[in-house]
Amino acid sequence: MLKDLITKNRSYRRFYEEVRISTKDLTALVDLARLSPSGANLQPLKFMLSNEEQMNKIIFKYLGWAAYLKDWDGPEEGERPAAYIVILGEKDPAKSYDYDVALACQSMLLGAVEKGLGGCIFASIARAPLSKALNIPENFRIPLIIALGKPKEEVKIEALKNNDVKYWRDEKGVHHVPKRSLDDLIVSF
């Protein structure tokens, strides 16, 4: 059921790093992005796949992990993502792809959940040094990156309290994500 996939699709930040993700599985996730809607059907996105240790280490060091968790610099070795999908868009003002990127990410993450995987979308990226490290041509920029792996953490959805949207971890390492109620979202004027 789609709602089950969406509910299981959390922002996971700790993984069983030793559980590898094949290039075939990454390609299948990109195929879901390919089949997703695209503004004016321009299909402007490209995707760089990483499931090898050395490239993963390069990508990892240019990502900002969990802004609300001030005392956490990201997962330790052994809990890092097994793979990444680096999303690329041409630096062409005639090619707007903000919506395409969001649709592609959601499709790929739902596909990951269906495969028993989880992921996290990153916008906090040191783009210029990462582009240089990955030899990405100057006519491309990195709007987002998806980190993927077999989730090693429990993520619980809970009711929003006092309008505080900040996620947090309890003493057992359970990641709590406050969500607004459905009644708070549906309005009439």
Side-chain angles (χ1 to χ4, degrees):
M1 185 174 191
L2 182 59
K3 186 172 182 180
D4 293 333
L5 287 175
I6 291 170
T7 301
K8 290 177 187 173
N9 181 25
R10 303 292 85 208
S11 291
Y12 294 102
R13 293 176 180 85
R14 292 182 294 156
F15 305 93
Y16 292 98
E17 191 172 348
E18 71 278 5
V19 177
R20 307 310 307 160
I21 300 174
S22 70
T23 301
K24 180 181 175 183
D25 281 342
L26 291 174
T27 302
L29 296 177
V30 171
D31 194 38
L32 296 174
R34 178 186 72 86
L35 295 170
S36 297
S38 174
N41 201 34
L42 293 177
Q43 305 169 60
L45 302 176
K46 304 288 186 230
F47 305 87
M48 180 179 276
L49 309 179
S50 176
N51 61 355
E52 296 178 9
E53 187 177 340
Q54 191 57 37
M55 191 169 170
N56 283 356
K57 283 183 178 183
I58 291 169
I59 294 169
F60 177 84
K61 72 180 184 179
Y62 293 106
L63 300 179
W65 291 82
Y68 291 147
L69 303 178
K70 301 294 183 197
D71 59 343
W72 191 65
D73 293 327
E76 301 294 325
E77 283 195 39
E79 293 187 336
R80 293 180 179 168
Y84 295 92
I85 298 175
V86 179
I87 303 170
L88 302 170
E90 287 186 63
K91 291 180 181 175
D92 180 348
K95 293 183 180 177
S96 173
Y97 44 78
D98 292 341
Y99 300 113
D100 291 55
V101 172
L103 291 165
C105 284
Q106 182 73 339
S107 295
M108 290 188 287
L109 286 172
L110 290 174
V113 170
E114 189 176 53
K115 291 178 179 296
L117 303 170
C120 187
I121 300 170
F122 284 86
S124 179
I125 306 163
R127 287 174 173 81
L130 179 58
S131 292
K132 184 176 181 179
L134 296 178
N135 298 312
I136 295 172
E138 285 190 24
N139 63 316
F140 285 99
R141 75 174 195 79
I142 305 169
L144 298 173
I145 294 176
I146 298 178
L148 294 160
K150 176 94 174 137
K152 191 176 186 173
E153 66 184 337
E154 181 181 356
V155 179
K156 286 189 173 184
I157 295 173
E158 60 183 45
L160 189 76
K161 295 176 186 146
N162 301 320
N163 218 23
D164 186 0
V165 297
K166 293 179 182 169
Y167 50 79
W168 55 282
R169 289 213 178 116
D170 65 23
E171 64 283 346
K172 294 181 181 176
V174 175
H175 193 86
H176 297 264
V177 181
K179 291 289 185 181
R180 298 183 194 286
S181 74
L182 191 56
D183 289 338
D184 289 340
L185 299 180
I186 299 172
V187 298
S188 59
F189 300 100

